[in-house]
């Protein structure tokens, strides 16, 4: 039988060999890295895969994640250039590009990036007024990314993206802005309505002008006689009188001319063609005294006594 002491020695030796193998061979996962120190000083950086180190002499530090990381910062009050408070939530995307610098140049790079982001955000927003802040998110993101990437470069960190997740002014400011925007929308709506009515009136006027031009052209091409024009003019007078704004109807002087022309047309129609008729002389309201036809008053017209003439003596 094998002495018990030999078994114990073999077990101890096996344990020591296993321990040495564990300390010698290091397997690093993908997208990870680890720094190695020898006697307290940086020796090298282990990459993904199988790595050999010297046991006891080398110390492997904790793994560093090389993947892109996301950090969401809590609500931060920021004062704009016009002294208004705005609450901003930001999201930061960064990636470790140099494990050695990330491990030895900064104690906690995640906290450092958060504090640097808050400081730069106040600096950028402080140079803008409220309206610029609300309408310039892309510009703010670009400025923050540039400043943070430059500042964190010595830490082995690359800031890939900065996004403003929420940007909320105070409730009183939101109420005032809503009233202002509502007034601007109502103003634009009133202007559009006025422009529409103006264009409608212009188009209506142009249509009426075109219609009048066509009617005028048709009348001239038809060559109407004065009687037809007078008849049309007389027919249009009742329509003028029935218009809503006609409270007093003044007959123009052209009406008498139109009626005379119309009367002459119908008069010529009754007398027959070829008849020349002299215009009637204006009546004076006096009737001629009876007498012989064609000779005027009779010879005894002057001898008749009037109402004031005394009778002659017998």
């Amino acid at each position: 039988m094998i002495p018990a002491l030999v078994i114990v020695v073999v077990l101890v030796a096996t344990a020591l060999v296993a321990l040495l193998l564990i300390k010698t061979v290091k397997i690093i996962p993908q997208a990870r890295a680890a720094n190695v120190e020898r006697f307290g000083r940086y020796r090298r950086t282990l990459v993904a895969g199988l790595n050999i180190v010297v046991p006891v002499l080398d110390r492997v530090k904790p793994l560093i994640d090389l993947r892109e990381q996301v950090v969401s910062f809590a609500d931060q009050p920021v004062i704009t250039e016009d002294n208004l408070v705005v609450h901003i939530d930001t999201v930061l995307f960064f990636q470790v590009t140099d494990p050695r610098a990330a491990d030895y140049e900064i104690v906690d790079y995640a906290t450092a990036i958060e504090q640097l982001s808050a400081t730069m955000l106040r600096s950028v927003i402080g140079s803008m007024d409220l309206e610029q802040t609300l309408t310039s998110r892309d510009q703010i993101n670009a400025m923050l990314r540039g400043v943070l990437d430059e500042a964190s470069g010595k830490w082995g960190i690359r800031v890939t993206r900065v996004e403003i997740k929420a940007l909320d002014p105070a409730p009183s400011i939101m109420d005032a802005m809503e009233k202002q925007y509502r007034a601007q929308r109502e103003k634009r709506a009133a202007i559009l309505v006025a422009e529409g009515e103006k264009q409608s009136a212009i188009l209506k006027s142009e249509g009426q002008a075109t219609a009048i031009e066509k009617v005028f052209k048709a009348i001239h091409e038809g060559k109407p006689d004065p009687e037809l024009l007078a008849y049309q003019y007389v027919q249009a007078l009742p329509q003028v009188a029935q218009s809503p704004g006609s409270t007093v109807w003044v007959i123009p002087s052209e009406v008498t001319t139109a009626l005379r022309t119309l009367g002459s047309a119908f008069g010529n129609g009754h007398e027959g063609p070829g008849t020349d008729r002299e215009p009637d002389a204006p009546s004076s309201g006096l009737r001629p005294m009876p007498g012989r036809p064609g000779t005027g008053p009779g010879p005894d017209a002057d001898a008749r006594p009037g109402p004031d003439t005394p009778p002659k003596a017998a």
Side-chain angles (χ1 to χ4, degrees), residues 149-303:
D149 193 19
E150 181 180 359
S152 61
K154 63 180 181 178
W155 302 336
I157 305 296
R158 182 172 65 90
V159 177
T160 57
R161 183 182 302 176
V162 179
E163 295 290 341
I164 295 179
K165 184 170 61 175
L167 198 157
D168 301 323
S172 59
I173 299 175
M174 291 292 294
D175 185 43
M177 293 175 60
E178 184 178 356
K179 292 180 180 179
Q180 179 183 359
Y181 293 151
R182 188 186 304 116
Q184 292 178 355
R185 288 194 297 267
E186 292 176 355
K187 178 181 178 181
R188 289 195 295 267
I191 292 175
L192 291 176
V193 171
E195 289 291 337
E197 293 178 352
K198 179 181 177 181
Q199 293 180 3
S200 176
I202 292 175
L203 293 176
K204 184 177 180 181
S205 301
E206 291 178 354
Q208 292 177 352
T210 304
I212 293 173
E213 183 179 358
K214 289 183 177 180
V215 172
F216 186 77
K217 183 178 179 181
I219 291 175
H220 279 270
E221 289 178 354
K223 297 181 180 180
D225 53 3
E227 289 79 6
L228 178 59
L229 295 178
Y231 180 70
Q232 294 292 335
Y233 188 83
V234 172
Q235 282 187 333
L237 291 179
Q239 298 179 2
V240 176
Q242 293 176 1
S243 60
S246 299
T247 56
V248 178
W249 188 28
V250 180
I251 300 177
S253 61
E254 288 81 358
V255 176
T256 57
T257 305
L259 292 175
R260 188 180 299 112
T261 304
L262 186 61
S264 300
F266 283 102
N268 290 337
H270 286 294
E271 292 179 4
T275 303
D276 296 333
R277 183 178 179 182
E278 295 293 336
D280 295 336
S283 175
S284 61
L286 299 178
R287 299 179 61 186
M289 297 297 294
R292 290 179 295 180
T295 59
D300 297 333
D302 295 336

Side-chain angles (χ1 to χ4, degrees), residues 95-108:
Q95 186 177 13
V96 177
T97 57
D98 188 356
R100 178 183 176 279
D103 196 5
Y104 293 102
E105 297 293 338
I106 188 72
V107 176
D108 186 356

